[in-house]
Amino acid sequence: INKKAMEGTIMAHISGGVPNIMLTLEKLDEQNIGELIYFFELACSISGNILKINPFNQPGVEEYKKNMFKLLEKPGY
């Protein structure tokens, strides 16, 4: 079922003109997962640079934390 769901998603993206990439790991272990995470971190950094944005600036995260602390009635918020 998972494989057919993946294939259906790929077909939908292709027919809709959505860019795709498929990454395959030789083995699901610590090294390969670490390399995959690094790949996405690097891709995020490079694409942010190309788009002239700072992908490591998270003003939305700070805003939600302030709101959450206020809703939880944390002292100082």
Side-chain angles (χ1 to χ4, degrees), residues 1-13 20 22:
I1 292 173
N2 286 339
K3 185 174 180 180
K4 294 302 176 190
M6 178 189 72
E7 291 171 0
T9 301
I10 292 168
M11 291 169 61
H13 285 160
N20 284 267
M22 182 179 294

Side-chain angles (χ1 to χ4, degrees), residues 16-61:
V18 177
N20 284 267
I21 185 170
M22 182 179 294
L23 304 173
T24 305
L25 301 178
E26 289 181 20
K27 185 177 180 184
L28 193 60
D29 62 5
E30 294 89 351
Q31 180 171 341
N32 283 297
I33 294 295
E35 290 173 357
L36 186 63
I37 291 169
Y38 178 75
F39 168 82
F40 283 113
E41 288 174 340
L42 186 59
C44 181
S45 175
I46 291 170
S47 62
N49 191 337
I50 290 169
L51 296 170
K52 305 283 191 243
I53 61 169
N54 180 354
F56 304 106
N57 183 15
Q58 301 179 354
V61 173

Side-chain angles (χ1 to χ4, degrees), residues 62-73:
E62 290 305 315
E63 187 67 24
Y64 110 80
K65 287 195 291 188
K66 288 177 188 175
N67 292 337
M68 178 183 66
F69 292 151
K70 184 177 180 181
L71 291 168
L72 291 171
E73 299 176 358

